[in-house]
């Protein structure tokens, strides 16, 4: 279950931001997870809840955007959604395609609010 180590790395990143911005209250972490990234979203969510329970981060929400797999044909330049691991270009039927998206695992944003009374 590598999702627990991923959740821990995400929390480490949030904690680093928390040290840089002690005047902020963190509300959410947005993730972009590709459909072929190998990350089980349910396991990641479970791991996140386990490591933040009874901590100052318990209310921090994990917001996950699932990114579909997309390829580009190197022969004709057509960009297309890949379904069922079928990488043949639907325009020219070439198998020479490259992956554009769907394998990412990124922190897209960290949502925070300035605490009342804090100076900007």
């Amino acid at each position: 279950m590598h999702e627990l180590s991923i959740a821990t790395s995400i929390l480490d990143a949030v904690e680093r931001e928390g040290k840089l911005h002690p005047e902020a209250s963190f509300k959410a972490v947005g993730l972009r997870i590709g459909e072929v990234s190998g990350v089980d979203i349910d396991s990641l969510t479970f791991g996140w809840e386990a490591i933040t329970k009874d901590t100052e981060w318990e209310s921090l929400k994990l917001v996950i955007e699932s990114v579909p797999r997309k390829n580009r044909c190197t022969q004709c330049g057509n960009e297309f959604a890949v379904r069922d691991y079928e990488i043949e270009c639907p325009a020219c039927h070439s198998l020479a395609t490259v992956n554009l998206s769907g394998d990412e695992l990124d922190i897209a944003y960290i949502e925070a609010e300035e605490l009342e009374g804090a100076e900007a």
Side-chain angles (χ1 to χ4, degrees):
M1 183 170 146
H2 71 286
E3 284 78 3
L4 185 57
S5 64
I6 294 169
T8 301
S9 294
I10 295 165
L11 185 56
D12 288 346
V14 172
E15 288 176 330
R16 282 193 300 273
E17 286 301 312
K19 288 178 183 170
L20 294 173
H21 306 282
E23 73 286 352
S25 172
F26 291 82
K27 303 297 180 188
V29 179
L31 304 177
R32 298 184 76 238
I33 300 177
E35 67 180 357
V36 293
S37 66
V39 176
D40 182 299
I41 292 175
D42 289 337
S43 294
L44 178 61
T45 302
F46 178 80
W48 178 258
E49 291 171 358
I51 65 170
T52 58
K53 184 176 173 68
D54 298 329
T55 72
E56 65 180 299
W57 304 107
E58 187 169 9
S59 65
L60 187 63
K61 296 189 182 333
L62 203 58
V63 180
I64 298 172
E65 173 191 357
S66 181
V67 180
R69 185 173 179 190
K70 192 173 182 181
N71 275 24
R72 177 186 305 128
C73 178
T74 60
Q75 300 299 308
C76 71
N78 181 40
E79 294 181 6
F80 58 96
V82 176
R83 297 197 190 343
D84 298 326
Y85 297 96
E86 179 56 56
I87 62 167
E88 181 180 298
C89 175
C92 72
H93 303 288
S94 172
L95 291 174
T97 65
V98 293
N99 181 259
L100 295 177
S101 68
D103 60 350
E104 55 272 86
L105 171 58
D106 301 323
I107 296 177
Y109 63 88
I110 298 174
E111 182 182 313
E113 292 179 355
E114 188 174 308
L115 292 174
E116 195 168 309
E119 293 182 29

